[in-house]
Short mmCIF file of all heavy atoms in Angstrom, two decimals:
data_model
loop_
_atom_site.label_atom_id
_atom_site.label_comp_id
_atom_site.label_asym_id
_atom_site.label_seq_id
_atom_site.Cartn_x
_atom_site.Cartn_y
_atom_site.Cartn_z
N LEU A 250 164.00 243.61 285.82
CA LEU A 250 162.98 242.90 285.05
C LEU A 250 162.43 241.71 285.83
O LEU A 250 161.22 241.46 285.84
CB LEU A 250 163.58 242.43 283.72
CG LEU A 250 162.59 241.77 282.75
CD1 LEU A 250 161.47 242.73 282.39
CD2 LEU A 250 163.32 241.28 281.50
N ARG A 251 163.32 240.99 286.51
CA ARG A 251 162.87 239.86 287.30
C ARG A 251 161.94 240.31 288.44
O ARG A 251 160.94 239.67 288.74
CB ARG A 251 164.07 239.11 287.88
CG ARG A 251 163.67 237.95 288.80
CD ARG A 251 164.86 237.35 289.48
NE ARG A 251 164.45 236.43 290.52
CZ ARG A 251 165.26 235.89 291.40
NH1 ARG A 251 166.55 236.21 291.37
NH2 ARG A 251 164.83 235.07 292.31
N THR A 252 162.27 241.44 289.04
CA THR A 252 161.42 241.97 290.12
C THR A 252 160.05 242.35 289.60
O THR A 252 159.03 242.03 290.20
CB THR A 252 162.10 243.19 290.77
OG1 THR A 252 163.30 242.77 291.42
CG2 THR A 252 161.18 243.84 291.78
N LEU A 253 160.01 243.03 288.46
CA LEU A 253 158.74 243.51 287.92
C LEU A 253 157.85 242.36 287.45
O LEU A 253 156.64 242.34 287.71
CB LEU A 253 159.00 244.46 286.76
CG LEU A 253 159.68 245.79 287.11
CD1 LEU A 253 159.95 246.58 285.84
CD2 LEU A 253 158.84 246.60 288.08
N VAL A 254 158.45 241.39 286.77
CA VAL A 254 157.67 240.28 286.22
C VAL A 254 157.40 239.21 287.27
O VAL A 254 156.33 238.58 287.27
CB VAL A 254 158.40 239.66 285.00
CG1 VAL A 254 157.64 238.46 284.47
CG2 VAL A 254 158.58 240.70 283.91
N GLY A 255 158.35 239.02 288.18
CA GLY A 255 158.22 237.95 289.15
C GLY A 255 157.36 238.27 290.35
O GLY A 255 156.97 237.36 291.09
N HIS A 256 157.04 239.54 290.56
CA HIS A 256 156.20 239.88 291.70
C HIS A 256 154.79 239.32 291.48
O HIS A 256 154.24 239.40 290.38
CB HIS A 256 156.12 241.40 291.87
CG HIS A 256 155.58 241.83 293.19
ND1 HIS A 256 154.23 241.79 293.50
CD2 HIS A 256 156.19 242.30 294.31
CE1 HIS A 256 154.05 242.23 294.73
NE2 HIS A 256 155.22 242.54 295.25
N PRO A 257 154.16 238.73 292.51
CA PRO A 257 152.80 238.19 292.35
C PRO A 257 151.83 239.25 291.83
O PRO A 257 151.82 240.39 292.31
CB PRO A 257 152.43 237.75 293.78
CG PRO A 257 153.74 237.50 294.44
CD PRO A 257 154.69 238.50 293.87
N ARG A 258 151.02 238.87 290.89
CA ARG A 258 150.06 239.82 290.28
C ARG A 258 149.02 240.30 291.28
O ARG A 258 148.53 241.43 291.17
CB ARG A 258 149.35 239.15 289.10
CG ARG A 258 150.20 238.93 287.87
CD ARG A 258 149.45 238.10 286.83
NE ARG A 258 148.15 238.65 286.52
CZ ARG A 258 147.91 239.53 285.54
NH1 ARG A 258 148.92 239.95 284.80
NH2 ARG A 258 146.70 239.97 285.31
N ASN A 259 148.65 239.44 292.21
CA ASN A 259 147.54 239.77 293.10
C ASN A 259 147.98 240.29 294.46
O ASN A 259 147.19 240.37 295.38
CB ASN A 259 146.65 238.54 293.32
CG ASN A 259 147.47 237.32 293.75
OD1 ASN A 259 148.62 237.46 294.13
ND2 ASN A 259 146.86 236.15 293.68
N ARG A 260 149.25 240.64 294.60
CA ARG A 260 149.79 241.11 295.88
C ARG A 260 150.59 242.37 295.65
O ARG A 260 151.22 242.53 294.60
CB ARG A 260 150.66 240.03 296.52
CG ARG A 260 151.31 240.42 297.84
CD ARG A 260 151.99 239.23 298.48
NE ARG A 260 151.01 238.26 298.92
CZ ARG A 260 150.38 238.30 300.10
NH1 ARG A 260 150.64 239.28 300.94
NH2 ARG A 260 149.51 237.39 300.41
N HIS A 261 150.58 243.27 296.62
CA HIS A 261 151.37 244.49 296.52
C HIS A 261 152.23 244.62 297.76
O HIS A 261 151.80 244.28 298.87
CB HIS A 261 150.47 245.72 296.38
CG HIS A 261 151.16 246.91 295.81
ND1 HIS A 261 151.37 247.05 294.45
CD2 HIS A 261 151.74 248.00 296.39
CE1 HIS A 261 152.02 248.19 294.22
NE2 HIS A 261 152.26 248.77 295.39
N THR A 262 153.46 245.11 297.57
CA THR A 262 154.42 245.26 298.67
C THR A 262 154.64 246.73 298.96
O THR A 262 154.87 247.53 298.04
CB THR A 262 155.76 244.59 298.31
OG1 THR A 262 155.56 243.20 298.08
CG2 THR A 262 156.76 244.77 299.44
N ILE A 263 154.58 247.08 300.24
CA ILE A 263 154.87 248.44 300.70
C ILE A 263 156.02 248.34 301.70
O ILE A 263 155.89 247.67 302.73
CB ILE A 263 153.65 249.10 301.36
CG1 ILE A 263 152.46 249.10 300.39
CG2 ILE A 263 153.97 250.52 301.80
CD1 ILE A 263 151.16 249.62 301.01
N ALA A 264 157.13 248.99 301.39
CA ALA A 264 158.32 248.91 302.24
C ALA A 264 158.69 250.30 302.75
O ALA A 264 158.57 251.30 302.02
CB ALA A 264 159.49 248.30 301.47
N PHE A 265 159.17 250.36 303.99
CA PHE A 265 159.50 251.63 304.62
C PHE A 265 160.98 251.68 304.97
O PHE A 265 161.59 250.67 305.35
CB PHE A 265 158.69 251.83 305.90
CG PHE A 265 157.21 251.89 305.68
CD1 PHE A 265 156.43 250.74 305.81
CD2 PHE A 265 156.59 253.07 305.31
CE1 PHE A 265 155.07 250.79 305.60
CE2 PHE A 265 155.23 253.12 305.09
CZ PHE A 265 154.45 251.98 305.23
N LEU A 266 161.55 252.87 304.86
CA LEU A 266 162.89 253.15 305.35
C LEU A 266 162.78 254.45 306.15
O LEU A 266 162.56 255.53 305.59
CB LEU A 266 163.88 253.30 304.20
CG LEU A 266 165.32 253.62 304.60
CD1 LEU A 266 165.93 252.47 305.40
CD2 LEU A 266 166.18 253.92 303.37
N VAL A 267 162.92 254.35 307.47
CA VAL A 267 162.76 255.50 308.35
C VAL A 267 164.10 256.22 308.49
O VAL A 267 165.07 255.64 308.99
CB VAL A 267 162.23 255.07 309.73
CG1 VAL A 267 162.08 256.28 310.65
CG2 VAL A 267 160.89 254.35 309.58
N LEU A 268 164.14 257.45 308.06
CA LEU A 268 165.34 258.28 308.14
C LEU A 268 165.15 259.33 309.23
O LEU A 268 164.03 259.55 309.70
CB LEU A 268 165.60 258.94 306.79
CG LEU A 268 165.75 257.97 305.60
CD1 LEU A 268 165.81 258.73 304.28
CD2 LEU A 268 166.97 257.09 305.78
N PRO A 269 166.22 260.00 309.67
CA PRO A 269 166.06 260.98 310.75
C PRO A 269 165.05 262.08 310.46
O PRO A 269 164.32 262.51 311.36
CB PRO A 269 167.48 261.56 310.89
CG PRO A 269 168.38 260.46 310.43
CD PRO A 269 167.63 259.79 309.31
N ASP A 270 164.97 262.53 309.20
CA ASP A 270 164.12 263.67 308.89
C ASP A 270 162.96 263.35 307.94
O ASP A 270 162.22 264.25 307.55
CB ASP A 270 164.95 264.80 308.27
CG ASP A 270 165.64 264.37 306.99
OD1 ASP A 270 165.73 263.15 306.75
OD2 ASP A 270 166.09 265.26 306.23
N ARG A 271 162.79 262.08 307.57
CA ARG A 271 161.71 261.71 306.65
C ARG A 271 161.56 260.19 306.62
O ARG A 271 162.39 259.45 307.16
CB ARG A 271 162.00 262.23 305.24
CG ARG A 271 163.16 261.53 304.53
CD ARG A 271 163.67 262.36 303.37
NE ARG A 271 164.33 263.56 303.84
CZ ARG A 271 164.80 264.52 303.05
NH1 ARG A 271 164.64 264.43 301.75
NH2 ARG A 271 165.41 265.58 303.55
N VAL A 272 160.51 259.74 305.96
CA VAL A 272 160.27 258.30 305.79
C VAL A 272 160.18 258.01 304.29
O VAL A 272 159.35 258.60 303.59
CB VAL A 272 158.98 257.84 306.49
CG1 VAL A 272 158.76 256.35 306.26
CG2 VAL A 272 159.04 258.14 307.98
N PHE A 273 161.03 257.12 303.83
CA PHE A 273 161.03 256.70 302.43
C PHE A 273 160.07 255.53 302.29
O PHE A 273 160.14 254.55 303.05
CB PHE A 273 162.44 256.30 302.02
CG PHE A 273 162.57 255.84 300.60
CD1 PHE A 273 162.71 256.76 299.57
CD2 PHE A 273 162.55 254.49 300.29
CE1 PHE A 273 162.83 256.33 298.26
CE2 PHE A 273 162.67 254.06 298.98
CZ PHE A 273 162.81 254.99 297.97
N VAL A 274 159.15 255.60 301.32
CA VAL A 274 158.11 254.58 301.13
C VAL A 274 158.24 254.02 299.72
O VAL A 274 158.10 254.75 298.73
CB VAL A 274 156.70 255.16 301.33
CG1 VAL A 274 155.66 254.04 301.29
CG2 VAL A 274 156.61 255.91 302.66
N ALA A 275 158.49 252.72 299.62
CA ALA A 275 158.59 252.05 298.32
C ALA A 275 157.31 251.27 298.06
O ALA A 275 156.77 250.62 298.95
CB ALA A 275 159.79 251.11 298.28
N SER A 276 156.83 251.34 296.83
CA SER A 276 155.60 250.66 296.41
C SER A 276 155.95 249.71 295.27
O SER A 276 156.38 250.15 294.19
CB SER A 276 154.57 251.70 295.95
OG SER A 276 153.41 251.08 295.44
N ILE A 277 155.79 248.40 295.51
CA ILE A 277 156.24 247.39 294.56
C ILE A 277 155.10 246.45 294.21
O ILE A 277 154.45 245.89 295.09
CB ILE A 277 157.40 246.56 295.17
CG1 ILE A 277 158.48 247.49 295.72
CG2 ILE A 277 157.98 245.60 294.14
CD1 ILE A 277 159.43 246.81 296.66
N GLY A 278 154.85 246.28 292.92
CA GLY A 278 153.81 245.38 292.46
C GLY A 278 154.22 244.74 291.15
O GLY A 278 155.35 244.88 290.67
#
């Protein structure tokens, strides 16, 4: 809940985790 409410309204975060056979992409706003 803190992550969802506390994230800036006007900014979006894109995070990557590179694995041997794929790339995990997280989208946080």
Side-chain angles (χ1 to χ4, degrees):
L250 184 60
R251 177 187 169 190
T252 294
L253 294 176
V254 177
H256 195 284
R258 289 172 53 90
N259 51 14
R260 179 172 291 275
H261 200 81
T262 300
I263 304 174
F265 298 95
L266 179 64
V267 179
L268 304 172
D270 60 344
R271 69 198 69 185
V272 179
F273 180 83
V274 186
S276 175
I277 310 163

